[in-house]
């Protein structure tokens, strides 16, 4: 009886170890090609070009201070591109180019070409959502040149992708903190009424710039906003940390910086028409003022002017988005659904959204005056 | 002639002659031995009983012990009637001054016959301690060989066993195996009597009780069971006692020969008996209600029952302020966690669950592993093999050379092995940190257990990754939770939770707050101290006057 019980225990442990684990297929890092970046771009004949970025010996040894000097000059990454009808076929071809197993468990950056069509974006997004080992915390960006982005060599010792991610992970480094993770994208693509958006990354001689975003109409890229428009949209999305605005007071220009806003959005239906009221409580610091002192009256005038100017600029962005049928981050959709649940159908919602009456109301407060913020 | 000596027939003849000589001698011994036996048997009707004949005693001792140079058989006569007597003892084990004095007194006793002699010895013979009378040879001879003197008198059918043993002088030295920064340093002597004396000086309480056992049919090793009556749980004392009584061995050379009989679970790798050569540690544990076992000729005492937590505590924890003790205890546990889990985690993450690594660390690890010919598990085996060899080498060498070995191991081998590209640099860091951390465990017996666990975790994590590591931890915890040591749950005071005992576990409360003996020991008297009733508020005056 005792032996039988012991046997049962051992059998239970063994079945746990063999049955529940998904570890058998795993391999040591020694035999893995660690994919840091994966990109999707349009290819000929409606195919999808897949690009992967894998750090090479230079890139890996250059990370540690001791080996940084020892690493020889040359590229720090392998960039391999293949095209296929699906993501899988492209990756299989890439796998054929390398001895080690492509490992996507540590993908840090997913780059979508801004020239992809909705079908290709959908294809890529479906694959990303389905692939199990993929790190869903990876950042997602849109870029005009995927391969060039991955081939870009960093100015400093680290890898280019890690350098770019450093900018994304820093909350107060940019004017707008626009970060999009893969899991956000998966949720948005599955939620009706949501439009995708991604930070738009362009190459510069010294590195990267990511002060803009690309918005989609569902899965179709439709508009890459300018940096100023991105900032204005950021007020509504609550992601602008250091906005800038210029107004005139008595014919003299006044710069206001470090503008941040807390948005309050309310959607209501009146006589079958959607009314969207956006209220922004904004605050900023006067940057450039010709007169050294200010009396309360002109300060109030500057605030009033700022309210009007900011409302106008934000409304302009929202109106264009409305015209394109794009609702990045889906900030309006839940409000409309709450009012009229039957509008969950995308076409009904889009029609209602396009005909919606949008008003923007800004309450502006100058919280400081000076050149140093 | 030389040709005859080398002839095979001559060599065979010589061997036959030798053999015949041996046989003749043996037959002589056997005949002598049988003669003595038969003589005594005729008189007593028993094979092992002393007949009362001094000659028979002389012959029996000689025939049983052979021509041993340290056996002294000293015939003499007693009183005016010249009653034949024999004193037998082992030289070197007895106090010769005492022996000479007693021998003189005995020989001068004014007795005329054996009846008077027996009476005189009983009433006047007080100089040696604990004289006993013995009739059976199987008990007499071991007593003599352990330092007592046997006095045989013609016509008296019993021998007097005189306590003339002189324990060898052994200096009391500081504990080497369990050093302490502060507090007592005294280690046990190897001599049982001195060990008792050392304990008596620390606990001069009548409650401390010693019970002697003699274990080993060859070695007749004295083993002492010690406990505090009125404190220790009688069930625990009784259980240890019955286990000691049940030991049947030919030889007991070390305390571990006893310890492995005392652990309730034989096949566990977790220690159940604590070994210590520190007198203060044993005394403290006795006062707490535990039981100690001392073994003759071994300075290591056994303490039991124990919980896992006990093996993390040292007497230094009590010799230094509570804040320091708490800090060091905590650091021991942090050390344990690092020592046990750092390497398995590194192996799990680099071999199986690379997705759980932070990317920067993964790339650094991958970079450091470039060109390394072995998988991480092989690297660990190599590293640990080197480490074990270094430890063993350092243990075997004198202190000065051990330091040199340490330097060679750490610097030369460590550097060379990285330069040779056999082990990656991160592995060196992880292995060194793990090894150092495991050495923070104060009890040597637990350190070995942790090394076993280390390997279990390393192997499971190299195959199954973090999942395997977690499963193994659960198995170990389940095993620990089922363990009981003489009725004391091994995971006490954490499982079952004893809030009061937590005060002296991972942390140590100040002494005035430690009012109870460990609850898990279920002592007869749970109170260890009373609350401090006197709380003087001292007021210092600006000009203090002398108190008259």
């Amino acid at each position: 009886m005792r032996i039988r019980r012991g046997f049962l225990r051992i059998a239970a442990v063994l079945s746990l170890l063999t049955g529940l684990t998904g570890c058998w297929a795993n391999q040591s890092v020694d035999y893995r090609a660690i994919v840091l970046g994966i990109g999707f771009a349009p290819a000929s004949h409606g195919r999808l070009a897949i690009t992967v970025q894998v750090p090479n010996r230079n890139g890996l040894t250059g990370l540690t201070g001791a080996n940084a000097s020892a690493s020889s000059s040359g590229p720090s990454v392998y960039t391999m591109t293949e095209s296929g009808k699906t993501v899988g076929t492209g990756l299989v071809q890439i796998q054929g180019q390398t001895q080690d197993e492509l490992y996507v468990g540590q993908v840090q950056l997913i780059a979508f070409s801004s020239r992809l069509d909705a079908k290709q974006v959908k294809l890529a997004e479906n694959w990303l959502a389905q692939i199990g080992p993929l790190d869903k915390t990876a950042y997602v960006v849109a870029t005009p040149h995927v391969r060039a982005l991955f081939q870009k060599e960093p100015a400093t010792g680290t890898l280019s992708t890690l350098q770019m991610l450093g900018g994304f992970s820093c909350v107060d480094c940019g004017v707008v903190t626009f970060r999009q993770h893969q899991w956000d994208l998966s949720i948005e693509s599955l939620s009706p009424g949501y439009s995708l958006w991604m930070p738009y990354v362009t190459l510069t001689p010294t590195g990267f710039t990511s002060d803009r975003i690309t918005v989609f109409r569902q899965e179709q890229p439709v508009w890459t906003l300018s940096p100023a428009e991105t900032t204005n949209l950021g007020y509504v999305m609550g992601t602008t940390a250091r906005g800038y605005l210029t107004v005139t007071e008595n014919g003299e220009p006044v710069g206001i910086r470090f503008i941040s806003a807390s948005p309050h959005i309310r959607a209501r239906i009146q006589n079958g028409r959607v009314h969207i009221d956006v209220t922004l409580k904004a605050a900023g610091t006067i940057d450039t003022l010709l007169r050294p002192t200010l009396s309360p009256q002109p300060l109030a005038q500057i605030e009033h002017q700022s309210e009007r100017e900011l409302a106008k600029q934000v409304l302009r962005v929202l109106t264009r988005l409305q015209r394109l049928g794009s609702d990045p981050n889906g900030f309006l959709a839940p409000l409309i659904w709450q009012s009229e649940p039957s509008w969950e159908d995308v076409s009904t919602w889009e029609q209602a959204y396009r005909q919606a009456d949008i008003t923007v109301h800004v309450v502006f407060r100058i919280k400081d005056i000076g050149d140093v913020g | 002639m030389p040709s005859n000596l080398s002839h095979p027939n001559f060599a065979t003849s010589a061997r036959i002659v030798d053999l015949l000589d041996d046989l003749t001698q043996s037959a002589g011994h056997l005949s002598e031995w049988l003669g003595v036996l038969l003589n005594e048997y005729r008189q007593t009707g028993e094979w092992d009983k002393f007949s009362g004949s001094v000659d028979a005693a002389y012959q029996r001792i000689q025939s049983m012990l052979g021509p041993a140079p340290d056996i002294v058989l000293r015939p003499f006569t007693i009183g005016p009637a010249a009653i034949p007597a024999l004193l037998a003892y082992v030289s070197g084990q007895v106090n010769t001054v005492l022996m000479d004095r007693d021998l003189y007194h005995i020989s001068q006793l004014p007795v005329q016959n054996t009846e008077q002699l027996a009476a005189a010895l009983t009433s006047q013979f007080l100089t040696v301690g604990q004289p006993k009378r013995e009739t059976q040879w199987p008990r007499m001879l071991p007593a003599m060989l352990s330092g007592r003197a046997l006095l045989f008198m013609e016509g008296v059918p019993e021998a007097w066993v005189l306590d003339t043993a002189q324990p060898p002088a052994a200096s009391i030295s500081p504990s080497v195996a369990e050093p302490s920064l502060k507090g007592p340093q005294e280690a046990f002597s190897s001599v049982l009597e001195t060990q008792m004396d050392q304990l008596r000086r620390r606990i001069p309480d009548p409650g401390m009780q010693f019970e002697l056992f003699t274990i080993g049919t060859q070695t007749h090793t004295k083993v002492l069971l010690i406990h505090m009556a009125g404190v220790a749980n009688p069930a625990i004392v009784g259980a240890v006692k019955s286990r000691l009584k049940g030991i049947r061995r030919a030889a007991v050379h070390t305390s571990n020969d006893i310890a492995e009989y005392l652990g309730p679970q034989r096949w566990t790798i977790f220690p159940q008996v604590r070994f210590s050569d520190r007198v203060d540690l044993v005394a403290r544990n006795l006062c707490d209600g535990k039981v100690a076992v001392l073994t003759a000729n071994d300075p290591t005492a056994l303490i039991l029952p124990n919980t896992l937590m006990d093996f993390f505590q040292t007497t230094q924890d009590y010799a230094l302020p509570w804040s320091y003790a708490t800090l060091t205890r905590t650091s021991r546990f942090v050390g344990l966690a690092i020592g046990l889990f750092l390497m398995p985690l590194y192996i799990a993450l680099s071999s199986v669950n690379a997705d759980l690594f932070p990317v920067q660390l993964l790339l650094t690890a991958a970079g450091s592993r470039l060109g390394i010919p072995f998988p991480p598990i092989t690297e660990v085996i190599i590293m640990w093999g080197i480490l074990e060899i270094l430890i063993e080498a350092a243990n075997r060498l004198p202190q000065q050379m051990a330091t040199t070995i340490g330097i060679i191991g750490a610097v030369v081998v460590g550097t060379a092995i990285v330069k040779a590209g056999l082990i990656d640099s991160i592995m060196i860091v992880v292995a060194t940190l793990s090894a150092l951390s495991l050495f923070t465990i104060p009890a040597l017996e637990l350190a070995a257990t942790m090394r076993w666990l280390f390997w279990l975790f390393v192997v499971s994590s190299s195959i199954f990754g973090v999942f395997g590591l977690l499963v193994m931890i659960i198995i170990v915890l389940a095993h620990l939770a089922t363990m009981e040591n003489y009725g004391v749950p091994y995971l006490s005071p954490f499982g079952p939770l004893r809030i009061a005992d937590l005060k002296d576990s991972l942390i140590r409360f100040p002494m005035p707050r430690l009012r109870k003996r460990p609850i898990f020991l279920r002592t007869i008297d749970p109170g260890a101290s009373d609350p401090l009733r006197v709380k003087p508020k001292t007021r210092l005056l600006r000009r203090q006057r002398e108190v008259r």
Side-chain angles (χ1 to χ4, degrees):
Chain A
M1 192 67 185
R2 213 170 148 186
I3 295 169
R4 195 176 160 191
R5 198 181 296 166
F7 175 76
L8 280 175
R9 280 182 190 168
I10 293 166
V13 170
L14 285 178
S15 62
L16 262 177
L17 289 173
T18 53
L20 295 180
T21 179
C23 309
W24 291 102
N26 278 316
Q27 282 191 332
S28 166
V29 285
D30 304 357
Y31 310 105
R32 281 174 165 166
I34 301 163
V35 177
L36 282 183
I38 185 162
F40 307 98
S44 56
H45 308 296
R47 292 152 75 97
L48 198 61
I50 320 293
T51 304
V52 297
Q53 186 200 48
V54 178
N56 60 17
R57 177 179 279 268
N58 274 345
L60 291 174
T61 52
L63 285 170
T64 52
N67 294 327
S69 56
S71 64
S72 60
S73 59
S76 60
V77 291
Y78 296 118
T79 310
M80 294 170 277
T81 305
E82 288 293 341
S83 62
K85 283 188 176 176
T86 63
V87 179
T89 51
L91 279 175
V92 166
Q93 289 182 54
I94 293 172
Q95 180 65 74
Q97 296 179 22
T98 176
Q99 285 182 331
D100 296 334
E101 185 186 315
L102 284 179
Y103 178 61
V104 293
Q106 285 282 2
V107 169
Q108 300 296 305
L109 185 72
I110 299 165
F112 285 83
S113 169
S114 53
R115 292 177 286 117
L116 285 167
D117 61 28
K119 192 181 161 194
Q120 288 169 324
V121 171
K122 186 84 178 167
L123 194 68
E125 183 48 39
N126 280 347
W127 181 82
L128 290 171
Q130 284 168 14
I131 196 83
L134 184 85
D135 186 357
K136 301 293 191 286
T137 61
Y139 289 106
V140 180
V141 297
T143 181
H145 308 291
V146 172
R147 191 174 165 82
L149 179 76
F150 284 148
Q151 280 179 326
K152 178 80 180 172
E153 283 299 318
T156 57
T158 187
L159 295 163
S160 59
T161 304
L162 300 183
Q163 198 179 27
M164 192 193 305
L165 299 183
F168 278 124
S169 57
C170 178
V171 177
D172 296 323
C173 291
V175 175
V176 187
T177 311
F178 271 126
R179 284 177 297 182
Q180 187 76 310
H181 292 284
Q182 167 53 29
W183 62 36
D184 299 324
L185 212 66
S186 302
I187 293 166
E188 286 164 14
S189 64
L190 290 171
S191 310
Y194 279 72
S195 301
L196 303 182
W197 67 268
M198 296 173 194
Y200 185 78
V201 177
T202 48
L203 297 175
T204 63
T206 53
F208 314 92
T209 304
S210 59
D211 54 357
R212 307 162 72 184
I213 65 167
T214 295
V215 293
F216 292 62
R217 178 172 169 267
Q218 292 167 32
E219 279 91 21
Q220 177 67 48
V222 287
W223 182 29
T224 299
L225 286 74
S226 68
E229 289 163 338
T230 303
T231 308
N232 289 330
L233 182 60
Y235 293 129
V236 183
M237 295 172 76
T239 50
T240 298
R242 297 192 296 179
Y244 194 84
L245 184 69
T246 308
V247 293
T248 48
E249 198 267 327
N250 285 339
E252 293 170 358
V254 177
I256 303 167
R257 57 179 184 150
F258 296 123
I259 302 172
S260 60
S262 66
H264 177 71
I265 302 160
R266 182 166 159 262
R268 57 195 163 83
I269 300 165
Q270 213 167 31
N271 301 326
R273 190 174 181 189
V274 177
H275 296 265
I276 300 167
D277 301 322
V278 178
T279 305
L280 297 174
K281 285 186 180 172
T285 301
I286 292 182
D287 186 18
T288 310
L289 194 69
L290 298 178
R291 286 169 294 183
T293 55
L294 268 177
S295 61
Q297 198 176 358
L299 203 61
Q301 282 175 5
I302 292 170
E303 285 179 341
H304 187 62
Q305 286 226 17
S306 303
E307 285 169 355
R308 274 191 302 177
E309 185 60 31
L310 201 60
K312 193 171 72 182
Q313 289 183 13
V314 169
L315 184 62
R316 197 181 299 144
V317 174
L318 292 182
T319 311
R320 184 160 178 195
L321 285 172
Q322 185 189 23
R323 203 164 55 242
L324 293 168
S326 173
D327 177 11
N329 217 29
F331 58 87
L332 298 177
L335 302 172
I336 297 169
W337 297 340
Q338 281 169 20
S339 308
E340 189 58 67
S342 66
W343 287 6
E344 277 196 34
D345 178 58
V346 176
S347 59
T348 316
W349 177 84
E350 266 192 11
Q351 198 183 352
Y353 174 56
R354 281 173 194 275
Q355 291 170 359
D357 178 28
I358 301 177
T359 54
V360 178
H361 177 65
V362 178
V363 180
F364 204 97
R365 188 173 64 83
I366 301 291
K367 61 179 181 185
D368 211 346
I369 300 168
D371 285 339
V372 180
Chain B
M1 284 300 281
S3 61
N4 285 342
L5 280 174
S6 59
H7 195 272
N9 287 342
F10 182 84
T12 312
S13 306
R15 275 205 296 274
I16 291 169
V17 170
D18 287 346
L19 194 63
L20 285 172
D21 277 351
D22 288 348
L23 276 173
T24 313
Q25 272 188 4
S26 301
H29 285 309
L30 188 63
S31 158
E32 194 182 332
W33 167 238
L34 286 173
V36 172
L37 270 180
L38 283 169
N39 192 25
E40 289 215 302
Y41 182 72
R42 280 194 205 102
Q43 291 182 36
T44 61
E46 288 180 40
W47 291 107
D48 287 331
K49 196 170 180 184
F50 172 51
S51 61
S53 162
V54 169
D55 284 343
Y58 189 95
Q59 286 174 0
R60 184 147 186 161
I61 293 171
Q62 262 206 332
S63 59
M64 284 182 80
L65 300 178
D70 59 337
I71 305 293
V72 179
L73 298 173
R74 198 164 160 193
F76 64 102
T77 55
I78 301 171
I83 301 167
L86 173 71
L87 193 68
Y89 60 89
V90 180
S91 68
Q93 287 195 4
V94 295
N95 186 333
T96 48
V97 177
L98 201 64
M99 286 292 301
D100 285 343
R101 196 180 59 190
D102 290 340
L103 202 59
Y104 175 76
H105 279 300
I106 292 167
S107 63
Q108 296 302 313
L109 286 171
V111 291
Q112 298 295 332
N113 51 46
T114 52
E115 287 78 19
Q116 284 180 3
L117 175 62
L121 281 173
T122 311
S123 59
Q124 297 175 29
F125 192 57
L126 298 171
T127 48
V128 289
Q130 298 181 1
K132 284 199 301 185
R133 281 181 266 187
E134 188 57 72
T135 58
Q136 296 293 320
W137 281 108
R139 285 200 286 271
M140 273 188 246
L141 288 177
M144 186 186 87
L145 293 173
S146 57
R148 290 186 171 81
L150 301 180
L151 175 63
F152 301 94
M153 290 156 287
E154 189 64 41
V156 181
E158 57 190 14
W160 283 62
V161 183
L162 309 177
D163 189 9
T164 51
Q166 177 179 270
S171 62
I172 292 170
S173 54
S175 174
V176 179
E178 299 166 81
S180 171
L181 284 177
K182 276 195 170 185
Q185 308 286 343
E186 182 186 354
F188 273 117
S189 152
S190 297
V191 181
L192 198 63
E193 288 76 5
T194 315
Q195 292 175 357
M196 289 167 70
D197 175 51
Q198 286 174 291
L199 274 177
R200 282 271 190 226
R201 277 190 288 110
R202 289 200 173 266
I203 313 174
D205 186 278
M208 186 164 65
Q209 293 190 354
F210 296 88
E211 190 165 344
L212 185 68
F213 296 84
T214 304
I215 302 173
T217 50
Q218 276 182 333
T219 56
H220 301 281
T221 309
K222 288 179 196 164
V223 175
L224 269 181
L225 170 70
I226 312 160
H227 72 277
M228 296 297 292
V231 178
N233 191 317
I236 294 174
V237 178
V240 178
K241 206 182 289 184
S242 62
R243 273 181 181 265
L244 284 174
K245 277 180 188 166
I247 298 173
R248 298 277 180 274
R249 280 183 71 82
V252 173
H253 299 290
T254 64
S255 55
N256 187 55
D257 292 344
I258 303 288
E260 293 194 15
Y261 283 91
L262 297 180
Q265 292 199 21
R266 199 152 292 167
W267 288 103
T268 181
I269 57 168
F270 285 90
Q272 298 162 88
V273 179
R274 181 156 189 191
F275 295 75
S276 180
D277 63 352
R278 292 187 67 98
V279 185
D280 56 331
L281 183 78
V282 175
R284 179 177 289 278
N285 278 285
L286 283 173
C287 292
D288 275 349
K290 290 190 182 177
V291 174
V293 175
L294 291 172
T295 312
N297 307 318
D298 190 336
T300 312
L302 311 175
I303 305 167
L304 62 166
N306 295 288
T307 66
L308 184 64
M309 198 62 232
D310 289 332
F311 294 95
F312 287 94
Q313 297 176 356
T314 64
T315 48
Q316 185 180 292
D317 297 348
Y318 303 97
L320 289 164
W322 67 270
S323 53
Y324 186 92
T326 301
L327 197 67
T328 49
R329 276 188 190 177
T330 313
S331 62
R332 273 175 220 145
F333 276 90
V334 172
L336 176 73
I338 292 173
L340 275 186
F341 301 125
L342 183 67
M343 179 67 84
L345 265 180
Y346 175 69
I347 289 183
L349 295 182
S350 60
S351 299
V352 182
N353 303 105
D355 45 339
L356 297 180
F357 247 138
V359 65
Q360 194 83 32
L361 194 56
L362 174 70
L363 294 173
T364 307
S368 76
R369 295 194 51 75
L370 281 173
I372 303 293
F374 304 118
I377 182 74
T378 313
E379 284 185 275
V380 183
I381 292 169
I382 293 172
M383 277 301 294
W384 220 259
I386 292 171
L387 196 73
E388 292 285 347
I389 290 166
L390 285 173
I391 292 170
E392 196 55 27
N395 282 343
R396 299 281 156 258
L397 288 169
Q399 184 65 42
Q400 293 83 351
M401 287 180 76
T403 314
T404 316
I405 287 287
I407 293 166
I408 291 170
V411 180
V412 181
V413 178
T415 314
I417 210 163
V418 174
K419 291 265 183 199
L422 294 174
I423 309 283
D424 70 277
S425 48
I426 294 182
M427 180 59 81
I428 294 271
V429 174
V430 171
T432 312
L433 202 56
S434 300
L436 281 177
S437 302
L438 282 182
F439 283 121
T440 57
I441 299 165
L444 195 66
E445 50 273 29
L446 187 68
T449 303
M450 292 305 156
R451 270 144 84 180
W452 274 108
L453 286 185
F454 171 84
W455 280 110
L456 277 178
F457 292 158
V458 162
V459 170
S460 61
S461 58
S462 74
I463 301 170
F464 300 110
V466 176
F467 173 77
L469 178 60
L470 288 175
V471 168
M472 201 49 77
I473 290 172
I474 290 167
I475 290 172
V476 170
L477 280 178
H479 172 64
L480 287 174
T482 58
M483 273 182 73
E484 271 195 7
N485 200 348
Y486 290 94
V488 175
Y490 199 60
L491 281 184
S492 296
F494 305 108
L497 188 66
R498 310 272 186 221
I499 301 287
D501 288 348
L502 290 178
K503 291 177 184 173
D504 190 13
S505 56
L506 267 177
I507 51 172
R508 179 172 84 68
F509 272 39
M511 281 297 172
R513 307 293 294 180
L514 299 178
R515 291 183 200 145
K516 302 269 184 196
R517 293 192 169 91
I519 291 174
F520 56 77
L521 286 174
R522 302 287 183 204
T523 53
I524 295 174
D525 179 12
S529 72
D530 290 331
L532 189 66
R533 297 192 191 286
V534 186
K535 293 180 181 173
K537 283 187 178 174
T538 310
R539 281 188 64 201
L540 296 179
L541 303 174
R542 191 165 292 171
R543 292 188 65 190
Q544 189 72 45
R545 288 180 190 154
E546 192 176 346
V547 179
R548 291 180 191 276

